[in-house]
Amino acid sequence: CPVHPSKCASTKWLKMSATCCGSNSWSLFPSISERAPAYQRFHTLAQDIPPGLTLPYKYKVLAEMFRSMDTIVGMLFNRSETVTFAKVKQGVQDLMHRQFEERNVGQIKAVYPTSYKFRQEKNIPTFSSFLKKSSYQLTVEPVLGEDGRPHLSASRLLERRRVFSRNLVNAVKQHHKTFMASLSPPMVIPDDKLTRWHPRFNVDEVPDIIPAELPQPPQVDKLTTAQEVLTKARSMMTPKMEKALANLALRTAETSPGKHEDPKATPTANTSSALKGVSQALLERIRAKEAQKLQALMTRNPQQEERLVMISRLPEMARLLRNVFVAEKKQALTMEVACTRMLDSYRTTMTSGEMEKHLHLFSELLPDWVIIHPIRKDTYIKLDKSMDLNVLMERLTRMIKEEEKL
């Protein structure tokens, strides 16, 4: 740029649509400005929790909004106050320190339709200079389904929160089901058996909840379209203005709002050149085997997952346990001593109770190698040091593979 050479040369993140100083139409690259922040796009990956049916970041924010809204509504409802959106909005924003709009209320209604009754009412005291008493306000009333004057107690708040979270998970399950149907080969897993998402299903790219329609104040002689304006003031217009408004009304009628499409699964890439010559039947068997393995992974319950993790640690622990008995030069050790020696040697920190569970698992899977004897108030563990450790490793490896198939 001849006018701002240093400024324009150092601006790497901007692009110029015409000329720098002619139109000043600088804009950010769409790929940078339209993308969500990284803490939202990779929210699920950053969670320090066991893998399961985790929710995307925006759904968790919506669940927190419902919790805050229910708290404010419950407090006002229990005091027999008329709950208006203005009061709820201020309270939720004070709790969450983020914007809370009618669009969020519409999303809450879409997720949990039977949670509230919404009405447009007027003649409600506002105690505000911005709202007149005669103006319409959106009122909120919790649906409790009881006779008389019900009370929104803490237990009801917890139950409503659980229902809302369950509905959010069901909404993600529908997108997950669409993703599974688009795979090759397609996979079908009943909702009640699904315990985690498919590894290639990007949870954080699930679309937003489409807001449900809320009651609107009645429109009294309010002109909303160009066609109505044209009809109302036809006698007051010049021919040129009439023609311009007619064209605008026609364009408005032809324009329809775009629909938000669900994210679709990434299409399967074509067979690469490296797979040329490989029979199609073999590829189909490999894909079917992979789908079966993924289905087992997504339907495994938490108890099976915990047992699989424990069994996967046993090969390394087996070497340590044998070294402990060799170093102690004893045929049997108390459970307390064995756990202490194992905790000192194992690379991962765990409690004594967790280590004891692993030793009991040894006696369950390898009863000919590890034997546990409860004697009086103590428990002793005995090890057969004459057995070949490589044979034990092979047996444990087979057990891990069998457990992964379940």
Side-chain angles (χ1 to χ4, degrees):
C1 174
V3 181
H4 306 294
S6 59
K7 177 181 177 181
C8 297
S10 61
T11 309
K12 298 180 180 179
W13 297 101
L14 301 176
K15 67 177 182 179
M16 184 169 56
S17 61
T19 60
C20 170
C21 301
S23 61
N24 292 328
S25 53
W26 291 75
S27 61
L28 286 172
F29 285 104
S31 60
I32 296 176
S33 62
E34 296 177 2
R35 292 172 67 183
Y39 74 90
Q40 294 183 14
R41 287 186 282 116
F42 306 111
H43 171 76
T44 304
L45 299 178
Q47 299 305 299
D48 186 20
I49 56 175
L53 300 179
T54 56
L55 291 173
Y57 175 79
K58 48 196 169 187
Y59 283 25
K60 289 185 178 180
V61 171
L62 187 62
E64 184 65 18
M65 285 182 174
F66 175 76
R67 185 192 69 82
S68 303
M69 178 178 176
D70 225 24
T71 302
I72 300 298
V73 170
M75 180 179 63
L76 298 175
F77 180 77
N78 293 338
R79 293 196 308 219
S80 300
E81 289 189 31
T82 302
V83 185
T84 63
F85 172 71
K87 297 178 183 178
V88 174
K89 177 180 179 179
Q90 186 61 45
V92 172
Q93 290 183 164
D94 290 343
L95 287 175
M96 297 191 62
H97 302 288
R98 66 167 61 232
Q99 285 297 112
F100 184 71
E101 306 292 343
E102 283 194 20
R103 178 179 179 275
N104 304 123
V105 179
Q107 289 178 315
I108 290 174
K109 181 181 178 182
V111 174
Y112 193 176
T114 59
S115 57
Y116 301 106
K117 287 182 181 178
F118 298 96
R119 288 186 291 269
Q120 286 287 346
E121 300 181 19
K122 61 180 181 178
N123 297 325
I124 299 175
T126 59
F127 306 104
S128 172
S129 59
F130 300 101
L131 290 174
K132 297 181 180 179
K133 186 176 180 181
S134 59
S135 60
Y136 282 91
Q137 295 189 64
L138 180 65
T139 61
V140 184
E141 181 184 351
V143 178
L144 303 178
E146 291 186 2
D147 298 332
R149 175 66 183 176
H151 183 77
L152 194 55
S153 60
S155 59
R156 284 199 179 93
L157 290 174
L158 290 173
E159 178 61 28
R160 288 162 63 89
R161 194 186 310 173
R162 282 193 290 266
V163 173
F164 191 84
S165 299
R166 186 165 59 246
N167 291 350
L168 283 177
V169 172
N170 291 336
V172 182
K173 282 182 178 180
Q174 296 303 316
H175 296 292
H176 184 260
K177 188 179 297 183
T178 304
F179 171 84
M180 300 275 285
S182 65
L183 295 176
S184 178
M187 298 177 64
V188 178
I189 298 178
D191 289 345
D192 56 341
K193 293 186 178 180
L194 187 67
T195 58
R196 66 180 67 196
W197 309 122
H198 192 282
R200 291 198 296 270
F201 177 67
N202 196 336
V203 181
D204 290 311
E205 289 188 0
V206 170
D208 284 340
I209 300 293
I210 300 177
E213 186 177 354
L214 296 175
Q216 299 298 323
Q219 306 293 335
V220 180
D221 293 336
K222 186 175 181 181
L223 304 179
T224 58
T225 65
Q227 186 65 44
E228 293 177 1
V229 174
L230 180 61
T231 304
K232 185 78 174 178
R234 185 178 296 274
S235 60
M236 303 170 58
M237 298 180 191
T238 64
K240 189 175 181 179
M241 292 176 61
E242 183 176 352
K243 183 178 179 181
L245 280 176
N247 292 335
L248 178 60
L250 183 61
R251 286 198 301 270
T252 304
E254 292 176 352
T255 304
S256 59
K259 296 181 179 179
H260 194 290
E261 297 180 356
D262 290 348
K264 296 183 179 179
T266 305
T268 306
N270 295 328
T271 306
S272 62
S273 57
L275 296 178
K276 287 184 178 179
V278 181
S279 65
Q280 190 66 25
L282 177 60
L283 292 176
E284 293 298 331
R285 287 200 301 270
I286 293 174
R287 292 193 183 103
K289 188 174 181 180
E290 181 184 5
Q292 182 181 4
K293 185 177 180 180
L294 289 173
Q295 182 170 351
L297 175 67
M298 290 185 287
T299 55
R300 189 178 297 138
N301 59 43
Q303 291 77 17
Q304 289 177 321
E305 182 67 26
E306 182 181 2
R307 180 180 173 85
L308 178 59
V309 171
M310 291 176 62
I311 294 177
S312 64
R313 297 185 185 131
L314 295 186
E316 181 181 357
M317 287 185 172
R319 297 183 184 276
L320 297 178
L321 185 61
R322 189 176 186 279
N323 292 340
V324 167
F325 274 86
V326 171
E328 294 291 333
K329 298 180 181 180
K330 294 180 179 179
Q331 294 295 327
L333 296 174
T334 62
M335 183 64 72
E336 182 181 358
V337 172
C339 290
T340 302
R341 298 293 185 271
M342 290 288 291
L343 291 173
D344 293 340
S345 303
Y346 193 55
R347 57 186 173 86
T348 303
T349 303
M350 61 176 62
T351 63
S352 179
E354 292 174 339
M355 182 58 71
E356 185 174 348
K357 289 181 181 179
H358 286 80
L359 297 183
H360 278 282
L361 190 58
F362 269 124
S363 66
E364 175 188 343
L365 301 178
L366 302 173
D368 53 342
W369 187 55
V370 175
I371 303 174
I372 295 179
H373 296 287
I375 301 177
R376 295 189 182 91
K377 296 182 179 180
D378 291 329
T379 302
Y380 290 84
I381 178 171
K382 186 177 180 181
L383 186 77
D384 186 359
K385 291 183 285 187
S386 62
M387 292 189 66
D388 188 358
L389 193 59
N390 293 326
V391 175
L392 296 174
M393 292 296 177
E394 293 177 0
R395 291 170 59 183
L396 289 174
T397 303
R398 286 197 301 269
M399 292 176 184
I400 293 175
K401 292 181 178 179
E402 293 174 359
E403 196 72 23
E404 288 177 346
K405 295 178 181 179
L406 297 179

